[in-house]
Amino acid sequence: MYLMMVVVQSEETADELITGFMDLGVTMSTVVDATDALEIISHHVPLFAGFRLMAGGGITRSRAIFSIVESDALLTRLKKFIGRTISGGREERGFYTVTPMTEGGPLSSLI
């Protein structure tokens, strides 16, 4: 079992990913609206105002998708799906990470 986190800046890409995850059988996902830390400090901390050039001007939102992936095979299919979704000339800044889980599941399993 794995915890997969995917962060993308495009709301459209996030919607496509979530839909695809559901189609592939990932039923435990959460989407969080997020803001890049560099952008926050460049806009709200005067000492770091010079970072605005690096941050690209205005504050942009990101989408963080947290998913529980139950098998190696599903993880492989998800990574291929993500690659297909963001390919084709689409510029998407973001990243993903996968962490093995030793335990997890629905809260109802604790009762």
Side-chain angles (χ1 to χ4, degrees), residues 39-56:
E39 292 186 20
I40 288 176
I41 66 168
S42 71
H43 287 85
H44 298 289
V45 180
L47 179 64
F48 297 105
F51 287 142
R52 284 193 183 137
L53 294 175
M54 291 173 59

Side-chain angles (χ1 to χ4, degrees), residues 11-110:
E11 186 173 350
E12 177 184 316
T13 301
D15 291 346
E16 288 179 44
L17 291 176
I18 286 298
T19 301
F21 283 20
M22 295 294 285
D23 290 344
L24 289 169
V26 176
T27 58
M28 290 186 276
S29 291
T30 300
V31 180
V32 178
D33 286 328
T35 303
D36 184 85
L38 177 62
E39 292 186 20
I40 288 176
I41 66 168
S42 71
H43 287 85
H44 298 289
V45 180
L47 179 64
F48 297 105
F51 287 142
R52 284 193 183 137
L53 294 175
M54 291 173 59
I59 293 179
T60 58
R61 301 290 180 204
S62 297
R63 305 295 184 277
I65 304 166
F66 298 90
S67 301
I68 294 177
V69 181
E70 296 182 355
S71 70
D72 292 334
L74 181 55
L75 180 62
T76 299
R77 291 196 322 263
L78 284 172
K79 289 193 289 187
K80 287 180 183 176
F81 169 72
I82 293 168
R84 286 192 310 269
T85 301
I86 63 172
S87 66
R90 180 186 299 190
E91 185 177 327
E92 180 62 61
R93 285 187 5 188
F95 65 92
Y96 82 98
T97 183
V98 177
T99 304
M101 292 177 53
T102 58
E103 189 174 341
L107 292 176
S108 60
S109 66
L110 296 174

